[in-house]
Amino acid sequence: MPSNISRFAAAFFLLFYACAGAMTSDMQTAATDSLLGQLSIAASASDSISPLYSIFDMAYGARRNEIAHQLYHTARQANNTSASLDMLRNIANFEWKNDSALSYVKSELDKIKDSPEKKSTQLFVDMLRIDNLLFNEENKDDNELLLQYVRRFSNEPVSDPYERALLLYAVCRYLGKETRGELLERYIERLNKQIEAMNLPDGAVRRLVYNRAAPIFFENENYKRVIETDMRMLHELDSLEASYEEQGRHFFNAPIYRYNVYRRMLGCYPILQSDEIDNLYSKTLRLADLNPNIAYDLEKNERATIYYTIAAGDYQRAKEMLKRQIDNPIHTTIRLSLLKMLKETAAKTNDNETLLATSLMLDDEFDRRLDRKQRERSRELRLIYDLNDLLERNSRLQADSHRVALRAKSILITIGLGAIIILTVLAIMLFRQSRRNRRLATRLSHSNDRLRKERDELKETRDELTMLRDQARAADRRKTEFINNMSHEVKVPLAAISEYSQLIADCIPENQRAYLERFASIIKMNVRLVMRLVNDVLDTDSLENGQMSLEIHPTSINAICRLAIDSVFECGRPDKEGIDFAFRPECGDEVTIETDGQRVGQILTNLLTNAVKFSDKGLITLSYHYDEGTGQISFIVTDQGQGIPNGQEEAIFERFRRLDHSISGCGLGLYISRLIANLFKGSLKADPSYKSGARFVLTIPTK
């Protein structure tokens, strides 16, 4: 009886949802509770799949991923391969930035019997692994990787369509980092044709490719291609919803995907008919009525409404919205098109002031776009040149191979014709060979004597090299001992000089003390400089010889920052006039991480010291960003000083490199800091995009 009641309740909510077209939060909770009741009395794993799918379709965020894992294991128990593969695709799509999650999906796929649907799922997961690799690459040369993919695609014919599609996807993704030009669009077109020709059993790969391609076409204002791609995307969504409806999945819907497609298509209004524009905007408004997230974006983002009002000729309203949205960071990639619209609406409404201001901004944007296009074209030409050069070499190799084959045939014919002659003269050759063998035996004896002599000489040389190596190691040990002893011998007198200079100043009467205290402070400052030089030399030697180790223990993030601040500033402020300092913590004092706080503080101290040293005025800030999900923390030190010359962002990390010899220092601070960052398996970089001074970013893992 309870089983029938639970099923009746679930059926009721399914029917109500189908009629209403949307669910409130209370209705969704009630439907979920009913489905959970049906799930609790399911007689088998197969009976659990349908209610689990309904719960999955209504879930959001981390809860949705949790249900996906549960549904996958249930489908495996029920031997439902289609549902298993469906959930593996959802898990991979949800956690594509997570290496371990993608490895888990890959290992689970290996357990499933081969089939066309499995192969399609493997292609989908491998494409997401390429996205993951591209997302997580920080220290790799993307240009070389791109060239490797393009070389492999162009010069190693691949018969397997799945592998060919994967190679094309990799080329498009890596090429997208270098250029948005025609070369990228041509490769995207080849990828689309390859995917469509494969007739994949599910649409996951097609939706992924369309979702990546449409924004690129839109950014390039290739509206015809945008419409074609988004229409294919809508067809895939319609087919997916129809398929799910046949399977009884009444709760599935994709409003966010449809909203993004409708909004992008509205942006193509110059090539659309008025009835098409009205239809798209009406569909967008209906989605906003059903989904609060879409309604919020429609109100705050306003892009869809801007496109519609311009197409409808309501230029005054469009102009006001464009003014609000023109500097929104979310519109960076389409800022040029928004400026064109603003200029158009200002001209239509005779707003000369806005027209002038927009024209100036448009000129700047055109300059930036032209500069970017020139760089992209340069990269495309370099890539095309490399490929043409490679193809030319391959052509030469193929021609040489063909000539070798022809020559081999000629040789075989010649050998066949000459076989009789060879047999005829064989007796004469054998006689001559016997005499030659006797001469060769004599020469071989002499050669053996020479080889034995050379062997003895090589042995002596090896012994000498071994002795020289041992001497070099001993010299290195003596150097290290000398540096350690000298550092001790230097530190003790320097400390005494500093203390006695202050003691002398303290023993002088008040009316004469100020004069001597100035000299005492100069002595203390120079003592600190020498002490820092000694410490830098010691740290450099330890790091280069692999003798420095990390002491990892729980440490407060704010405590690390305050340690560095107190080491550089007295009373938390710079002693230079005109310089201000700000510490902007992201977390409270109770947040701790597993790291070596002393070494992190040493890096921050060097960065803050450099910021003060190379700044005459302005604000110095220390901030950090802690991403608990990825287990990484980034410390940012920013100043408004003289900055770093273009092209010198990496040179400043070299040993003894000093860009300004008028400022004190030996050029070891940044070199040591990067070595310590590498010891953490982290990174230390100068931000080249920051032009108001210098900005350094230290990123280290905490897991």
Side-chain angles (χ1 to χ4, degrees):
M1 183 67 179
S3 173
N4 293 332
I5 294 174
S6 178
R7 290 173 181 170
F8 175 77
F12 171 76
F13 282 112
L14 290 173
L15 179 61
F16 186 84
Y17 172 71
C19 296
M23 296 185 72
T24 65
S25 176
D26 292 339
M27 291 168 59
Q28 182 175 335
T29 301
T32 302
D33 291 341
S34 176
L35 290 166
L36 288 173
Q38 182 180 348
L39 186 64
S40 65
I41 59 175
S44 64
S46 298
D47 294 338
S48 301
I49 291 178
S50 180
L52 275 174
Y53 255 129
S54 296
I55 296 173
F56 171 78
D57 289 337
M58 288 190 293
Y60 293 94
R63 173 64 174 163
R64 184 179 179 87
N65 190 42
E66 177 185 340
I67 297 299
H69 281 274
Q70 182 181 354
L71 183 49
Y72 167 69
H73 291 295
T74 303
R76 289 286 289 163
Q77 293 175 5
N79 292 322
N80 190 329
T81 302
S82 178
S84 300
L85 293 173
D86 183 26
M87 285 302 102
L88 286 177
R89 290 193 295 270
N90 278 280
I91 293 170
N93 190 46
F94 189 84
E95 299 191 75
W96 68 270
K97 296 181 181 179
N98 189 330
D99 291 335
S100 59
L102 290 179
S103 298
Y104 163 77
V105 171
K106 193 73 173 175
S107 64
E108 292 299 312
L109 272 173
D110 293 338
K111 302 175 184 178
I112 298 176
K113 186 178 179 181
D114 289 339
S115 66
E117 189 176 2
K118 175 190 173 180
K119 205 165 186 180
S120 176
T121 302
Q122 285 177 326
L123 176 61
F124 179 78
V125 174
D126 286 338
M127 286 179 171
L128 292 179
R129 287 168 69 89
I130 289 173
D131 291 341
N132 172 271
L133 178 64
L134 194 64
F135 176 79
N136 292 322
E137 270 176 359
E138 296 180 354
N139 301 318
K140 296 183 180 179
D141 190 345
D142 290 343
N143 291 331
E144 183 58 31
L145 282 172
L146 168 62
L147 196 57
Q148 290 177 11
Y149 278 119
V150 177
R151 282 172 176 171
R152 186 179 173 194
F153 174 77
S154 301
N155 303 294
E156 299 180 14
V158 178
S159 58
D160 184 6
Y162 287 83
E163 186 174 355
R164 181 177 176 84
L166 184 62
L167 274 176
L168 267 172
Y169 183 80
V171 170
C172 291
R173 295 297 285 157
Y174 277 95
L175 191 59
K177 292 190 66 176
E178 295 294 317
T179 176
R180 297 296 223 202
E182 295 179 0
L183 183 63
L184 174 59
E185 290 193 3
R186 289 200 297 271
Y187 272 102
I188 291 176
E189 180 62 23
R190 296 176 73 174
L191 175 60
N192 281 335
K193 290 181 179 179
Q194 179 66 34
I195 295 298
E196 291 173 3
M198 292 168 66
N199 293 321
L200 299 173
D202 62 81
V205 172
R206 290 190 293 272
R207 292 192 297 274
L208 177 64
V209 172
Y210 298 155
N211 194 45
R212 299 284 190 267
I216 295 173
F217 294 141
F218 188 78
E219 184 180 341
N220 291 340
E221 298 184 3
N222 191 343
Y223 298 139
K224 180 180 178 182
R225 297 294 303 279
V226 174
I227 296 297
E228 292 175 356
T229 305
D230 279 337
M231 289 299 292
R232 293 172 182 168
M233 185 68 169
L234 289 174
H235 175 72
E236 289 295 329
L237 291 175
D238 292 339
S239 300
L240 185 66
E241 289 185 359
S243 173
Y244 285 170
E245 186 69 26
E246 291 179 0
Q247 299 172 21
R249 292 178 61 177
H250 306 287
F251 291 99
F252 175 81
N253 60 77
I256 301 298
Y257 292 104
R258 290 185 179 277
Y259 170 67
N260 290 331
V261 170
Y262 292 154
R263 183 179 62 186
R264 192 163 45 238
M265 292 178 69
L266 278 171
C268 304
Y269 66 87
I271 67 170
L272 295 176
Q273 300 296 326
S274 59
D275 57 337
E276 294 175 328
I277 296 172
D278 292 338
N279 184 38
L280 286 171
Y281 192 63
S282 298
K283 291 180 178 179
T284 302
L285 294 179
R286 283 199 295 272
L287 289 176
D289 291 338
L290 300 176
N291 190 296
N293 293 328
I294 295 177
Y296 178 82
D297 185 81
L298 185 65
E299 178 183 358
K300 297 299 182 182
N301 189 336
E302 298 185 297
R303 275 173 54 188
T305 307
I306 290 172
Y307 298 145
Y308 177 73
T309 52
I310 292 179
D314 191 353
Y315 299 111
Q316 182 63 36
R317 183 185 174 196
K319 181 181 70 176
E320 299 304 323
M321 287 187 289
L322 282 166
K323 286 182 177 180
R324 291 194 296 268
Q325 298 294 331
I326 199 68
D327 293 322
N328 192 337
I330 199 173
H331 299 142
T332 301
T333 58
I334 60 167
R335 177 177 170 80
L336 179 62
S337 62
L338 293 182
L339 285 171
K340 291 179 181 179
M341 295 178 195
L342 182 57
K343 182 178 179 181
E344 178 188 359
T345 56
K348 294 290 186 180
T349 57
N350 296 320
D351 186 347
N352 293 328
E353 181 179 355
T354 301
L355 183 62
L356 177 60
T358 305
S359 298
L360 295 175
M361 289 190 291
L362 197 57
D363 288 341
D364 293 339
E365 191 65 27
F366 272 128
D367 290 339
R368 284 192 292 269
R369 178 64 67 91
L370 180 61
D371 182 61
R372 194 192 80 183
K373 288 294 184 183
Q374 288 175 344
R375 291 196 303 271
E376 290 180 352
R377 189 58 180 166
S378 175
R379 295 189 190 105
E380 289 183 5
L381 291 174
R382 186 175 66 249
L383 181 61
I384 292 171
Y385 173 80
D386 291 341
L387 290 175
N388 288 338
D389 182 61
L390 189 62
L391 290 173
E392 183 180 351
R393 283 181 300 188
N394 286 341
S395 298
R396 289 199 299 267
L397 288 174
Q398 291 176 357
D400 292 341
S401 176
H402 183 65
R403 284 195 296 270
V404 169
L406 291 177
R407 188 179 305 166
K409 291 180 180 179
S410 300
I411 291 173
L412 289 174
I413 295 173
T414 303
I415 291 174
L417 294 175
I420 300 174
I421 300 174
I422 292 174
L423 292 173
T424 304
V425 300
L426 184 59
I428 300 173
M429 291 179 62
L430 288 174
F431 175 74
R432 292 180 177 178
Q433 186 66 33
S434 63
R435 290 192 301 174
R436 188 180 302 163
N437 287 341
R438 286 194 294 271
R439 290 195 298 269
L440 288 175
T442 303
R443 293 176 184 173
L444 182 61
S445 177
H446 294 313
S447 298
N448 287 336
D449 293 337
R450 287 197 303 271
L451 287 174
R452 280 192 291 271
K453 183 179 179 181
E454 291 176 359
R455 180 197 63 190
D456 296 337
E457 291 176 352
L458 286 173
K459 183 178 179 181
E460 293 176 1
T461 303
R462 183 190 63 189
D463 294 339
E464 291 177 3
L465 290 174
T466 302
M467 181 181 66
L468 291 174
R469 181 200 63 192
D470 295 338
Q471 291 176 354
R473 289 178 177 174
D476 187 63
R477 286 195 299 272
R478 288 195 294 273
K479 180 199 73 172
T480 302
E481 293 172 358
F482 172 76
I483 290 175
N484 291 333
N485 293 335
M486 284 302 297
S487 66
H488 176 73
E489 296 300 328
V490 170
K491 285 182 178 180
V492 173
L494 285 175
I497 291 171
S498 177
E499 292 175 2
Y500 279 109
S501 63
Q502 187 60 45
L503 181 61
I504 292 172
D506 292 340
C507 294
I508 299 301
E510 289 289 340
N511 58 349
Q512 300 177 359
R513 184 180 300 174
Y515 180 74
L516 286 178
E517 279 187 342
R518 184 170 68 88
F519 289 103
S521 64
I522 293 174
I523 292 172
K524 290 176 68 177
M525 180 186 71
N526 284 277
V527 166
R528 286 198 301 271
L529 290 175
V530 176
M531 292 284 279
R532 182 175 179 184
L533 175 59
V534 171
N535 290 331
D536 286 348
V537 171
L538 286 174
D539 287 344
T540 302
D541 184 70
S542 297
L543 286 164
E544 289 178 345
N545 289 288
Q547 297 174 350
M548 179 177 289
S549 61
L550 300 176
E551 297 181 4
I552 305 298
H553 53 80
T555 307
S556 168
I557 302 176
N558 289 345
I560 295 173
C561 296
R562 293 194 186 97
L563 174 65
I565 294 169
D566 294 340
S567 299
V568 179
F569 306 129
E570 294 184 4
C571 301
R573 296 187 60 81
D575 55 3
K576 273 189 178 182
E577 293 186 2
I579 296 180
D580 293 324
F581 172 74
F583 172 44
R584 295 170 178 167
E586 183 182 87
C587 307
D589 290 339
E590 69 279 359
V591 177
T592 61
I593 59 175
E594 294 285 340
T595 191
D596 188 334
Q598 181 179 358
R599 293 303 176 189
V600 177
Q602 182 179 353
I603 298 175
L604 296 180
T605 299
N606 285 339
L607 297 178
L608 290 172
T609 301
N610 278 359
V612 174
K613 189 185 299 183
F614 292 96
S615 299
D616 294 327
K617 61 180 180 178
L619 176 66
I620 297 174
T621 61
L622 169 61
S623 60
Y624 61 86
H625 173 67
Y626 177 40
D627 190 339
E628 189 173 359
T630 61
Q632 284 193 334
I633 183 168
S634 297
F635 295 91
I636 303 98
V637 176
T638 307
D639 64 60
Q640 296 177 343
Q642 66 187 49
I644 303 170
N646 287 336
Q648 298 293 319
E649 290 82 0
E650 285 299 318
I652 59 175
F653 291 99
E654 297 176 1
R655 183 169 53 178
F656 302 120
R657 175 58 67 95
R658 297 169 59 194
L659 299 180
D660 190 346
H661 292 277
S662 65
I663 298 178
S664 63
C666 61
L668 283 175
L670 289 177
Y671 174 71
I672 293 172
S673 298
R674 175 165 276 187
L675 288 179
I676 297 175
N678 293 337
L679 192 61
F680 277 104
K681 291 184 170 38
S683 65
L684 176 61
K685 297 180 180 179
D687 184 358
S689 64
Y690 183 71
K691 302 300 182 183
S692 300
R695 173 179 290 156
F696 291 86
V697 181
L698 168 65
T699 302
I700 59 173
T702 62
K703 294 183 180 179

